[in-house]
Amino acid sequence: MVASGVERLFFALWPSATEGQAMAAYAAHLECRHGRRITGDRLHLTLAFIGAVERTRRPAIEAMAAALRMPGFVLHFDRVGLWRRGGIVWAGCSGVPASAEALVATLRHGLGTLGLPFERRAFRPHVTLFRRASALERAAPPAVAWRCRAFVLVGSELDPVGARYRVLRRFALGSEAGTAYSD
Ligand code: 2AM
């Protein structure tokens, strides 16, 4: 629980229904010991984690993102793995488009100019498929692609069954960039 007046935010890539279902279908066939599967409607890829901030900061965060003019890209998920810490079973990409790296760097820079903390470690793009897994049986890698034509600002609320995510605003990439619209 975060104090009222504070919200937990992050920027992410959110798949279309079809792309999310493709990833969920892949995850459904993985054999993970003890793991809790992330449901299809929660699958996402975090671009920049902001964490708990005063609600009054949100307009400035949205304005920063809405001002960006960045190209879209396609992510080809072709890797699967387990990070022991947190038992995270993830889907990742062997090649990350330069535009995706540039988007993350620009968002981090933008958060920095707003005086907000941001992750300084290298960007490790991944979609979390399971949490608290103790083992992952050998598995064929995913063959799933996400066409990324927008990114989103997400609010995260922790509840007993895990985080609840709410897409707060969508920001276009590519030719539509600059025409940010609210859901
Ligand atoms: P994860 O899936 O690897 O746990 C919402 O919590 C999203 O933000 C998740 O995708 C989560 O990544 C990521 N996240 C949570 N805490 C974070 C942190 N301190 N730094 C970076 N990303 C974080």
Side-chain angles (χ1 to χ4, degrees):
M1 271 295 176
V2 287
S4 62
V6 167
E7 58 188 351
R8 207 162 169 268
L9 302 175
F10 62 98
F11 285 111
L13 297 170
W14 211 270
S16 68
T18 312
E19 292 168 340
Q21 281 159 14
M23 190 64 90
Y26 172 72
H29 285 95
L30 288 177
E31 305 229 352
C32 296
R33 214 167 301 149
H34 308 309
R36 198 173 69 195
R37 188 151 63 89
I38 310 299
T39 51
D41 56 333
R42 294 185 193 196
L43 293 172
H44 65 276
L45 187 149
T46 299
L47 293 169
F49 185 75
I50 302 171
V53 290
E54 294 289 331
R55 285 179 197 279
T56 52
R57 305 300 310 274
R58 208 210 293 172
I61 294 170
E62 291 190 10
M64 179 275 289
L68 300 185
R69 304 286 181 272
M70 308 282 294
F73 46 84
V74 179
L75 292 179
H76 294 279
F77 293 93
D78 58 359
R79 283 192 170 176
V80 64
L82 168 69
W83 287 330
R84 299 258 163 225
R85 200 170 161 206
I88 304 270
V89 172
W90 50 268
C93 311
S94 53
V96 182
S99 317
E101 297 274 7
L103 176 59
V104 168
T106 306
L107 285 172
R108 287 180 174 185
H109 176 78
L111 293 172
T113 61
L114 295 174
L116 293 165
F118 57 91
E119 181 64 73
R120 288 172 193 276
R121 288 176 299 185
F123 175 48
R124 294 169 90 188
H126 66 279
V127 177
T128 296
L129 304 177
F130 289 80
R131 294 189 192 281
R132 298 196 203 105
S134 56
L136 169 68
E137 303 303 326
R138 277 179 79 85
V144 175
W146 286 4
R147 276 167 50 87
C148 304
R149 297 289 172 262
F151 64 98
V152 294
L153 180 65
V154 186
S156 163
E157 284 163 28
L158 299 176
D159 68 24
V161 293
R164 256 187 311 129
Y165 301 130
R166 200 152 62 89
V167 173
L168 302 172
R169 187 160 164 180
R170 187 173 294 272
F171 305 92
L173 293 168
S175 54
E176 285 179 47
T179 58
Y181 55 92
S182 293
D183 266 345

